[in-house]
Amino acid sequence: MSRARATTVDEPVAVRGVAVDGAAHGGWVPDADERVDRLESLVASLLEADLSTFSDVDRITVVPDAHYPFHPSSGVVTDPAVVAAIVRVLEDRTDADLAIAGVSDEVIGFDRTAAHLGYTSLLERVDAELVDLAEDARTDRLLETGGRTTTVSIPDRLATGATIVVPSLRPTAEGPIAGGMRTLARFATGAVDPDRAALGATRAVDPALCVLDATTAYAGTSAATNALFAGPTASVDALGSSLLERSFAADGALSQAFDERTSISVDSVGGGKLALETIRDRLDSGELPPRESTHPAVTAAYRLYAAVAGDAVPPQLEGEPR
């Protein structure tokens, strides 16, 4: 196996990575079923070392970064094809009941989000259920950090069985990486501070594995970064933060969960060439667009619609006051 150093360290924490060679696989294709087929063997290589962990588990819940996909400040979401490939591998190699979990919020119901992202059709090919944990019974866990105590409440499903969190590689609107910890924080209540919510949710859930979908990343602009990583949640978040060139010290959740003096070794599996510097070079480390701005893709799409339908483009989508 090839090894790449993400930081300078004493006893490195191992994170596995696999290159998704877009050229060798014909590039990114819009057909999600075809993407699942292409990704399955790569995901199997990535998960191979962890499959024994799930041999005696009755239930596995996969938690992707699945949110309202059309807001300009949202960045990317986890590719549902990556999630479906993970489910396929687990389906073949374990006897556990499988579910993909999300949560409704005040903006949109999870069923609509799942339909927008394509989970509904993809799940017709795998034996897994789609669950909304907004109404799930909850378990309270006490979190103590820095002399402060906070009670964090999480859905019962995430407090029992095994959880695999599958974040995308993107920053939050506040700047730090979204990552696995903040993906789990969307399910937690009780902690007002976002960093403590992320830390508390992660400790309460104690995910069996974190799989970072870096096939496409976002850091001001989107980029094809063609990689997947897997390992302990805090370590994978630390690696992702490094790829986004975000400061550990400025990340209140990550700085408490991961010792910056510890190094991460990245073991490349699956036969492809994994180059961390290439991923960094493809990311511009920019800021997310303001929430009130209209994403250029929306304007472009509406202009196409207007040209076909003979309709007018609304002034707010042209970006010019009228």
Side-chain angles (χ1 to χ4, degrees), residues 4-7 225 229 239 242-243 245 266 273-283:
R5 291 288 170 183
T7 56
T225 40
F229 299 94
L239 174 61
S242 171
L243 294 174
E245 299 185 2
V266 179
K273 183 179 180 181
L274 188 64
L276 301 184
E277 288 306 319
T278 299
I279 295 175
R280 288 192 184 94
D281 290 344
R282 289 178 179 173
L283 297 171

Side-chain angles (χ1 to χ4, degrees), residues 75-213:
V76 301
V77 295
T78 302
D79 185 348
V82 171
V83 177
I86 292 171
V87 170
R88 265 199 194 174
V89 172
L90 295 173
E91 187 180 5
D92 290 341
R93 303 288 291 274
T94 75
D95 296 322
D97 293 330
L98 303 172
I100 299 171
V103 60
S104 296
D105 57 29
E106 66 277 4
V107 175
I108 190 170
F110 179 61
D111 58 338
R112 290 183 61 198
T113 298
H116 282 314
L117 297 178
Y119 279 101
T120 306
S121 58
L122 276 178
L123 284 177
E124 295 175 358
R125 298 186 55 178
V126 296
D127 186 15
E129 63 174 326
L130 198 68
V131 295
D132 183 355
L133 300 186
E135 302 301 327
D136 200 32
R138 305 184 77 83
T139 296
D140 293 341
R141 297 283 170 82
L142 199 64
L143 168 68
E144 295 185 11
T145 55
R148 297 173 57 194
T149 301
T150 303
T151 299
V152 176
S153 180
I154 59 170
D156 282 354
R157 176 178 280 271
L158 301 185
T160 59
T163 298
I164 299 176
V165 58
V166 192
S168 58
L169 182 56
R170 65 178 180 90
T172 61
E174 293 73 27
I177 186 173
M181 298 176 69
R182 291 184 173 87
T183 297
L184 292 173
R186 296 184 65 238
F187 297 83
T189 60
V192 177
D193 178 73
D195 291 335
R196 291 180 66 79
L199 183 63
T202 306
R203 290 183 177 175
V205 174
D206 190 19
L209 187 66
C210 179
V211 179
L212 175 61
D213 173 17

Side-chain angles (χ1 to χ4, degrees), residues 1 14 46 50 68 153 182 218 309 321:
M1 292 182 179
L46 193 67
D50 294 288
Y68 182 64
S153 180
R182 291 184 173 87
Y218 190 93

